[in-house]
Amino acid sequence: MRLHPSELYFYHSSAQPIDKQTKAYAKTLTRFVNEIDVINEPITATQWDQILRKLQLRPKDLLNRSHPDYQSQIAGKDWDDEGWLNILVKFPHLIKSPIAIFKNKAILCRTPSDILKLD
């Protein structure tokens, strides 16, 4: 994944209110915000792997474990690394917070103002 240094990549779900607030903060960092709605623009397992490496997180760290889909289809099963990546591909609506990548740094934005840590 090649990233332009002056562009902020914002991976989000348009259905989440926190994502809309975080996007507003993102636009204060740079004029160039590349929005990727993970629900409408599929992310491949390879792309998720690259994002996770930048975040220094595991796939399950991104997931909302209290969501009914997580509880019914994922919880309690034994998944290998590839299985977790495929879960991210198949269930992007389970991502609990938006992800921002800017100037070779990445952050999982648990609160809208977390994105400001990238500046």
Side-chain angles (χ1 to χ4, degrees), residues 64-77:
N64 177 356
R65 296 180 194 172
S66 64
H67 193 285
D69 288 349
Y70 184 94
Q71 293 300 316
S72 67
Q73 299 184 38
I74 299 165
K77 297 179 183 165

Side-chain angles (χ1 to χ4, degrees), residues 45-83:
T46 301
Q47 290 170 317
W48 277 120
D49 186 51
Q50 292 173 340
I51 292 167
L52 288 162
R53 288 177 194 272
K54 286 192 173 298
L55 290 167
Q56 298 179 351
L57 294 174
R58 304 168 300 171
K60 67 180 176 180
D61 296 332
L62 300 183
L63 300 174
N64 177 356
R65 296 180 194 172
S66 64
H67 193 285
D69 288 349
Y70 184 94
Q71 293 300 316
S72 67
Q73 299 184 38
I74 299 165
K77 297 179 183 165
D78 193 24
W79 303 97
D80 61 9
D81 291 342
E82 186 177 340

Side-chain angles (χ1 to χ4, degrees), residues 7 16 30 38 40 54 56 76 82 98 101 103 109 112 116:
E7 193 167 11
Q16 299 290 339
T30 182
V38 297
N40 297 318
K54 286 192 173 298
Q56 298 179 351
E82 186 177 340
I101 302 173
K103 295 182 180 176
C109 302
L116 298 175

